[in-house]
Amino acid sequence: MRTIQWNAENSTVRMIDQTLLPVEYREIECENLAQLCEAIKSLRVRGAPALAAAGAYGIALASKLSSANDMESLLEDLKNAARIILATRPTAINLGWGVHRVIKAVSEAYDTAGIRDIALSEAQAIADEDVQINKTLGKHGASLLEDGDTVMTHCNAGRLACVDWGTALGVVRSAVEQGKDINVIACETRPLNQGGRLTTWELMQDNIPVKLISDSMSGYVMRHELVDKVIVGADRVTEDAVFNKIGTYNHAIVAMEHEIPFYVAAPASTFDFKGWEGSVKIEERDPDELRYMQGVQIAPEDVPVINPAFDSTPMEYIEAIITEKGIFRPPFLIDEVRT
């Protein structure tokens, strides 16, 4: 089962509902754009590469649901759908990348049937390519891992964050596939515990050794020489910084202090070739994510909350960025990744 895919039987978007893991594995169907956008906002589907596929499938879904009979009206419907999808999660650049790629592809169609066919085929191509890209990225990254290494990671940058295989965890999977003995330390990743709920679950599914720690323990495990490398994913990479799940910056500082290599694994589609750190809007999430856990109140209801979804890590803290096009070590010109 891919994390997200098109269900051709009833023209819906099928995905694993990640909010239920690890207690329950359930696949859900998004029959309309509102359901898909809710799934993106509520993190039923999340992770940069998976969001690229979600955005692309969203345009394909909108094309199937549109009642427009002429090209101009149908294209306008798809542009409106694109605006709605893009508003769901502003920081994750892959979401927009997937949406815009499909919108660009359908502009070459000659009739409404062509628009609908191209929208779906392009979305499917994005999903299929993601798997191959992650495996290529994984092979590049595996060269950085030695037999017996323990890798610390943050949030979930595995197959659940992609269509399949994963970015940061894809590097681990590729190294294991090569016969290397790799252990993982997963940070729980508050407030929604993607590391504790998702990373540990999928690694245990693959029989890759993993231990769970609280986010505040990363300094402890690094100081006590329990970590050899740190590998994280990314939601956006600019010329001067990497945007990833909140808490990443803390780990990068501690890793540098202890001379532990800090790697970022991200496909070229995660790179923002025009932006810089100050130009990126950081998504601010619901304060109740910190006031409640699984419906149980854990803080005063009226306490003010700061809850950004992401932070930015300056390039000076990053040993290298692993992509499907190779390994790039800062400082580098971001356009090198484009070519």
Side-chain angles (χ1 to χ4, degrees):
M1 171 64 190
R2 289 183 169 189
T3 299
I4 182 169
Q5 60 185 332
W6 182 259
N7 183 354
E9 291 183 5
N10 52 8
S11 296
T12 59
V13 182
R14 177 185 293 170
M15 64 183 70
I16 298 171
D17 187 343
Q18 299 186 36
T19 64
L20 302 177
L21 291 170
V23 177
E24 179 185 355
Y25 177 94
R26 184 192 300 171
E27 297 169 18
I28 60 173
E29 306 268 346
C30 294
E31 300 177 353
N32 54 56
L33 198 61
Q35 290 176 347
L36 180 67
C37 289
E38 188 280 333
I40 294 171
K41 286 181 180 179
S42 64
L43 307 187
R44 300 183 196 283
V45 60
R46 31 71 52 202
L51 289 178
Y57 281 137
I59 299 301
L61 182 63
S63 75
K64 299 293 184 183
L65 295 174
S66 173
S67 59
N69 295 316
D70 62 273
M71 286 186 62
E72 184 178 354
S73 298
L74 180 53
L75 289 173
E76 187 59 34
D77 283 350
L78 298 191
K79 290 177 182 177
N80 288 333
R83 284 190 285 269
I84 293 169
I85 295 169
L86 292 175
T88 57
R89 301 204 67 192
T91 309
I93 193 171
N94 294 66
L95 179 64
W97 177 84
V99 167
H100 292 310
R101 178 168 154 179
V102 176
I103 291 294
K104 181 179 180 181
V106 299
S107 67
E108 304 294 326
Y110 294 103
D111 54 29
T112 56
I115 290 174
R116 293 183 170 97
D117 289 343
I118 291 172
L120 180 55
S121 64
E122 191 70 15
Q124 191 61 58
I126 288 171
D128 292 341
E129 289 167 15
D130 178 65
V131 182
Q132 187 55 53
I133 285 171
N134 292 331
K135 290 193 172 184
T136 302
L137 181 157
K139 289 180 181 178
H140 289 312
S143 67
L144 300 171
L145 300 184
E146 299 177 18
D147 187 34
D149 270 353
T150 293
V151 174
M152 192 185 86
T153 191
H154 188 66
C155 196
N156 172 261
R159 58 184 169 87
L160 289 170
C162 305
V163 177
D164 201 354
W165 200 250
T167 53
L169 297 189
V171 171
V172 172
R173 283 193 173 90
S174 295
V176 171
E177 194 175 63
Q178 293 173 6
K180 295 178 182 178
D181 178 21
I182 306 295
N183 289 266
V184 177
I185 290 178
C187 297
E188 63 174 345
T189 319
R190 285 283 292 137
L192 297 181
N193 291 7
Q194 293 96 327
R197 294 187 303 104
L198 306 179
T199 292
T200 58
W201 180 82
E202 67 169 87
L203 289 175
M204 291 175 72
Q205 291 281 310
D206 288 351
N207 296 313
I208 296 174
V210 58
K211 292 180 180 178
L212 176 65
I213 64 171
S214 65
D215 296 340
S216 55
M217 284 178 60
S218 65
Y220 175 92
V221 294
M222 284 193 251
R223 183 171 175 80
H224 286 79
E225 300 181 350
L226 301 177
V227 175
D228 299 295
K229 313 276 169 50
V230 180
I231 308 179
V232 300
D235 289 85
R236 185 184 293 250
V237 179
T238 61
E239 187 88 53
D240 55 348
V242 169
F243 292 80
N244 194 47
K245 182 56 60 184
I246 190 73
T248 301
Y249 179 42
N250 302 45
H251 301 322
I253 294 172
V254 178
M256 175 172 280
E257 176 66 24
H258 293 87
E259 299 182 346
I260 295 172
F262 187 95
Y263 298 113
V264 174
S269 57
T270 304
F271 284 71
D272 183 346
F273 296 102
K274 297 180 180 179
W276 64 96
E277 182 177 3
S279 69
V280 177
K281 179 182 178 180
I282 298 291
E283 175 186 354
E284 185 74 22
R285 294 192 59 82
D286 189 339
D288 280 347
E289 290 181 351
L290 281 168
R291 298 182 186 127
Y292 291 84
M293 179 178 287
Q294 298 295 313
V296 177
Q297 184 178 336
I298 59 173
E301 287 188 351
D302 56 351
V303 63
V305 170
I306 301 172
N307 189 24
F310 308 100
D311 59 22
S312 56
T313 300
M315 285 293 176
E316 65 202 66
Y317 291 96
I318 295 166
E319 180 78 16
I321 300 181
I322 308 160
T323 78
E324 75 274 22
K325 299 186 178 183
I327 298 170
F328 296 85
R329 297 182 182 273
F332 64 89
L333 296 176
I334 197 168
D335 279 340
E336 295 176 30
V337 181
R338 195 202 302 260
T339 58

